[in-house]
Amino acid sequence: MTAQLLSGKPIAEAIKAEVAAEVASLGYRPGLAVVRVGEDPASAVYVGSKVKTTEELGMHSEHIHLPADASHDGVLSIVKELNARDDIDGILVQLPLPEQVRDREILEEIDPAKDVDGFHPMNVGRLSQGYDALVPCTPAGVIQILKRSGLEIAGRHAVVVGRSNIVGKPMAMLLLQENATVTICHSRTRDLPAITQQADILIAAIGRPGFIRGEHIGDGATVVDVGINNVSDQDFASELFSEGELPKRIAAIEKRGFTLVGDVNPKEAVERAAYFTPVPGGVGLLTVAMLMRNTLEAAKARRGR
Ligand code: NDP
């Protein structure tokens, strides 16, 4: 079997086009504020893409960049100011934050109505109770890929590997809401392959490059790879990529020092799975699209339409 690749690009583009069309009909501009602290290079790239996309879709965007030594209270007071502003509908504090800034307290200060990352306990609680909530963008994007690719979720056995608050747990809750039968695995799970092999839908959100191998995947499964890892070792890359793909990856390692790899071994996954989301080009593209949708939804809920 050779898996069909599920590209995130057309789905992300469709969601963004829907958001842009709705924004154009609103009569006001939803506003998204992104707070970044310090100089983490990956955060700079993510925030840049969020700001650019917000503007492209006709929304108002603000980027507040604080130095790496910003105090906890300084970040907290920025969040409070943004909470109080009527023109700001969405607030996103880019993680990770420097050590002196206590991220849980910052995230809990964000007005739940403006919590477009869906990390506030109020939204987490509402999601787990099955009520309308702002839900975390990456797992929400996974649901969109599955649904818009015409893949049935209800009644299927979904196995989520990873239980972080950002991906694994909300992913499991969203799949449950879609009526999947859900199993959550983590680092203390015994005999992981025996469980993951049973999955109709296998979601990998682990943070270890190529960790999910052929032995973890049941024939004909749908495998969704949430992982984003940098791999710089060429020998390791040759274990992950087919002959067709490998030269491109080696060239990337030689040019910029690394290639992007998910949590699934793609060479082995395509031999077992029926559907597979590639890295890059799969789930990752959906995250910003879902952030845009959350900003629009937050604006409509706050402003009554
Ligand atoms: P975390 O490190 O917070 O969580 C990793 C999870 O994987 C933990 O629950 C951990 O278990 C589990 N795990 C680790 N090792 C094993 C193992 N050997 N067997 C089974 N489970 C294991 O990572 P995140 O959830 O934040 O991110 C996961 C991946 O998704 C990363 O690659 C990240 O880069 C990517 N990501 C992609 C995004 C996007 O596409 N836009 C957004 C966010 C993340 P335990 O809890 O027991 O420690």
Side-chain angles (χ1 to χ4, degrees), residues 1-6 219-221 242 266-276:
M1 177 175 288
T2 302
Q4 184 182 326
L5 294 183
L6 299 176
D219 282 331
S242 62
K267 189 158 78 176
E268 296 181 10
V270 294
E271 285 168 14
R272 301 292 291 264
Y275 299 94
F276 178 52

Side-chain angles (χ1 to χ4, degrees), residues 138 161-164 166-168 185-189 192 204-208 211 226-229 263 283-284 287:
T138 300
V161 188
R163 56 172 166 179
S164 73
I166 292 173
V167 189
C185 299
H186 46 77
S187 67
R188 304 288 293 273
T189 297
L192 185 68
I206 307 161
R208 291 174 166 227
F211 179 84
V226 181
I228 302 179
N229 310 286
D263 291 341
V283 171
T287 300

Side-chain angles (χ1 to χ4, degrees), residues 279-301:
V279 177
V283 171
L285 299 175
L286 267 294
T287 300
V288 173
M290 296 315 291
L291 174 66
M292 299 300 111
R293 195 154 114 167
N294 275 356
T295 304
L296 171 62
E297 293 304 329
K300 289 195 303 184

Side-chain angles (χ1 to χ4, degrees), residues 114-168:
K114 298 186 178 188
D115 170 39
V116 284
D117 251 344
F119 296 156
H120 191 286
M122 179 74 86
N123 283 315
V124 176
R126 291 178 70 89
L127 170 62
S128 76
Q129 290 179 327
Y131 298 129
D132 277 348
L134 288 165
V135 303
C137 301
T138 300
V142 171
I143 298 290
Q144 289 299 314
I145 286 206
L146 294 172
K147 281 188 166 177
R148 293 183 188 228
S149 302
L151 297 169
E152 184 89 36
I153 304 175
R156 301 296 155 96
H157 184 195
V159 176
V160 181
V161 188
R163 56 172 166 179
S164 73
N165 289 332
I166 292 173
V167 189

